Amino acid sequence: MKRFFISLLCAVMVILCLPVLSASAAEEPLVGINGEKIDMTQGYASGKGWEMVFNRRDQIYTLTLSEGRFEKITSYGDLCLHIPAGANVTVGKSAVSYAIGVENGTLRINGTGNLTLEGVNGLIANNGHLQINGVNLSVSAAKYGIYTKNGSLTVNGGTVNTIGAQNGIFTTGGLYVNGGKVNASAESSAPSDSLTDASAGINLQNCYAVISGGEVVADGYYAMFGLKADITVCGGSLQAKGNTYGLYTGPNPTEIDKGVENPNRG
């Protein structure tokens, strides 16, 4: 009996699924964790979605989302998020600080379904890495669409459309595109007072960007901005369509991809 309660306690610590708003039967999310279907209706009542928190760092979880709207997903360790074919999943809303976040781990997103993220920030990693291996990902954020601090973003496949008011993609750990399509846009058309917070489709801080396959399109006041950053294109394609600068690296803009002044700006 004692062993049973210890096992039950560990299971609760492994995954805390905290529903924040209750959903009608027609809106019940379809969730699977490590291959087992989870009945989300057995949690606490709420009304606009569900918040899921993965607290364990000593194993990798596979979270499968087939349908539904979720408030927020947080992982303090490695997590594999699978969005199967035909799925339509939304995570976040305008008021949440982020839709999906990972800390001290790697988040891998697989599948061919549709994943939509909303929030102040969309997809973030703190001392962690993001890897997109498939899925049709759409991000709309009030600040950063995709943000990695001390961690990298790797895109191996799928389609990524990310729009942030400040940056479509912001990273201090590197951007690596090996396949798929990436469209990163910044809505702000004004320059920032700080180079570390420049408005850009893609903002690179003290790191590398390597494009070896796929397609990358960046758009913003700066299309692709790099402060102490190296940008290498050794395959695939890159379009930098800045309102003012195409590519900017360091204190002076580069001449790459029609850089310096963009003659087509409004």
Side-chain angles (χ1 to χ4, degrees):
M1 181 65 69
K2 182 178 180 181
R3 181 176 298 177
F4 169 80
F5 283 114
I6 292 175
S7 299
L8 180 60
L9 177 61
C10 289
V12 172
M13 292 176 64
V14 166
I15 303 168
L16 298 178
C17 296
L18 306 178
V20 237
L21 286 174
S22 84
S24 66
E27 298 172 335
E28 291 174 7
L30 302 179
V31 180
I33 297 176
N34 290 349
E36 296 185 10
K37 182 178 178 181
I38 304 300
D39 186 355
M40 296 292 288
T41 65
Q42 299 303 309
Y44 299 96
S46 73
K48 293 183 183 174
W50 303 86
E51 180 176 347
M52 305 184 71
V53 181
F54 294 79
N55 282 331
R56 289 286 293 273
R57 299 180 182 179
D58 57 354
Q59 71 180 87
I60 300 175
Y61 292 98
T62 297
L63 172 64
T64 300
L65 303 180
S66 299
E67 200 67 43
R69 172 179 282 272
F70 300 83
E71 188 88 358
K72 182 190 290 186
I73 298 173
T74 305
S75 179
Y76 296 97
D78 293 337
L79 176 66
C80 179
L81 176 60
H82 182 65
I83 310 295
N88 290 285
V89 175
T90 300
V91 182
K93 61 178 184 177
S94 59
V96 299
S97 56
Y98 60 85
I100 300 179
V102 60
E103 185 172 339
N104 298 312
T106 297
L107 171 65
R108 295 174 175 86
I109 303 178
N110 305 318
T112 57
N114 302 306
L115 176 62
T116 300
L117 306 182
E118 304 168 355
V120 177
N121 301 292
L123 182 60
I124 68 171
N126 184 23
N127 296 317
H129 303 279
L130 302 174
Q131 185 181 105
I132 300 173
N133 301 313
V135 88
N136 296 311
L137 175 63
S138 297
V139 184
S140 179
K143 191 170 184 181
Y144 300 113
I146 298 176
Y147 177 95
T148 69
K149 182 178 180 181
N150 300 324
S152 61
L153 168 64
T154 300
V155 180
N156 295 318
T159 301
V160 178
N161 293 300
T162 174
I163 300 175
Q166 190 67 32
N167 296 133
I169 295 172
F170 178 98
T171 179
T172 66
L175 170 65
Y176 304 93
V177 180
N178 304 312
K181 297 181 179 180
V182 177
N183 293 284
S185 300
E187 293 182 328
S188 176
S189 60
S192 172
D193 294 333
S194 170
L195 289 180
T196 60
D197 204 24
S199 176
I202 298 174
N203 190 333
L204 307 162
Q205 298 285 320
N206 301 290
C207 62
Y208 294 93
V210 179
I211 301 170
S212 60
E215 302 175 18
V216 177
V217 178
D219 192 7
Y221 179 84
Y222 301 97
M224 198 168 185
F225 178 92
L227 181 62
K228 298 181 180 179
D230 290 326
I231 301 171
T232 301
V233 181
C234 53
S237 64
L238 168 64
Q239 296 183 55
K241 303 186 296 184
N243 295 332
T244 301
Y245 297 115
L247 294 184
Y248 184 106
T249 56
N252 298 303
T254 70
E255 293 280 354
I256 302 174
D257 193 36
K258 301 182 181 179
V260 192
E261 294 291 331
N262 184 341
N264 297 317
R265 74 183 189 278

